[in-house]
Amino acid sequence: MHVAAHAIVCAIRVHGEHGAIARLMTPDDGLLAGYVRGGRSRRLRPVLQPGNIVAAEFRARTEDQLAGLTVELVRSRAALLGEALATAAIEWLTTLTAVALPEGQPYPRLHAALSAVLDAVEAAPSARGWAGAVVRYELLLLAELGFGLDLSRCVATGAETQLRYVSPKSAGAVSAGAGAAYADRLLPLPAFLVEGGDADWPQLFDGFRLTGWFLERDVLAERRGDALSARERLISRLKRLA
């Protein structure tokens, strides 16, 4: 196996006295893991930071063998590490990617979306400028893993307008009229996920509530631990701004 690509660092695990196992998101080969010799060294620790982009080269004699990995820094996001909110966003996005995706499966749309939302976190002047992109990334990841939500029409009536809720059972949208009597059993569907555009803080938190329900149930049911803790830290910090 030989893969050479620019990739996003998603997770690092110490291995042995000096090495590290890194999991990187590549454009064409999805999530790949490799052993970095000297990964704990003073030279490589700043390179192997979640969110960084590296020129990566994976080499293995067989597909079952953990690849050896060499990395060179292409783009650092170290400047964001002093910002608690940006750091929490990067931590959650990369942790979710590393935990949720199977290795060696191509997800080019997810790679492009992850790259875009990390760019938004880096460039946007305020968290409201990128929080919606985080929610959309979560929705895309659900869809790419086969747990997509149908937000195009009402699951009860087929109506394509006035969509206000999502059924937690079917993951389908529900119109205002069809869902009014059952609102306490349904999840709110914020308008920005259907109509696009900007969202205010209540809509953003409704979006996080919506995606969180299905992430916990369908993707992270057996792997909650660190992943959901990272998500909770992000949402907690966002709520301090609202």
Side-chain angles (χ1 to χ4, degrees):
M1 186 267 276
H2 179 216
V3 173
H6 284 194
I8 302 168
V9 179
C10 288
I12 305 297
R13 179 165 58 87
V14 171
H15 186 82
E17 292 186 12
H18 307 291
I21 295 175
R23 304 184 77 196
L24 313 182
M25 185 62 172
T26 67
D28 300 321
D29 297 277
L31 193 70
L32 295 177
Y35 173 74
V36 183
R37 187 183 299 274
R40 297 178 62 191
S41 68
R42 185 175 299 178
R43 181 180 70 86
L44 287 179
R45 273 183 294 178
V47 176
L48 294 174
Q49 292 292 325
N52 282 357
I53 300 174
V54 297
E57 189 166 6
F58 297 85
R59 291 182 180 273
R61 293 181 180 178
T62 68
E63 291 184 359
D64 297 331
Q65 181 185 34
L66 178 65
L69 171 62
T70 58
V71 294
E72 292 184 10
L73 184 65
V74 173
R75 180 175 177 182
S76 173
R77 292 192 166 94
L80 297 177
L81 296 181
E83 302 176 21
L85 193 52
T87 299
I90 292 172
E91 180 189 19
W92 163 239
L93 290 162
T94 54
T95 298
L96 173 63
T97 303
V99 168
L101 298 186
E103 291 183 7
Q105 300 296 318
Y107 292 100
R109 293 177 65 202
L110 277 177
H111 176 273
L114 178 60
S115 180
V117 70
L118 288 172
D119 286 348
V121 171
E122 189 171 15
S126 70
R128 262 190 63 186
W130 51 256
V134 175
V135 175
R136 291 189 179 97
Y137 181 73
E138 294 176 345
L139 274 179
L140 177 61
L141 183 139
L142 284 164
E144 292 286 291
L145 291 177
F147 304 108
L149 282 62
D150 183 359
L151 307 181
S152 61
R153 58 180 55 84
C154 175
V155 70
T157 66
E160 298 180 0
T161 59
Q162 296 294 309
L163 303 176
R164 295 290 183 270
Y165 310 99
V166 173
S167 166
K169 292 183 178 180
S170 70
V174 180
S175 67
Y182 311 98
D184 59 337
R185 306 180 203 172
L186 302 173
L187 297 165
L189 173 57
F192 80 97
L193 292 180
V194 178
E195 302 167 5
D198 296 331
D200 59 21
W201 284 115
Q203 289 183 3
L204 289 169
F205 293 126
D206 281 346
F208 278 111
R209 179 184 171 193
L210 175 65
T211 52
W213 172 273
F214 294 101
L215 284 171
E216 289 190 42
R217 188 190 73 177
D218 298 327
V219 176
L220 302 174
E222 298 179 358
R223 295 167 288 182
R224 297 188 176 191
D226 293 341
L228 289 181
S229 294
R231 190 175 194 269
E232 289 167 4
R233 282 193 293 273
L234 170 60
I235 294 173
S236 176
R237 289 193 168 103
L238 288 172
K239 285 181 176 179
R240 296 175 194 171
L241 298 178

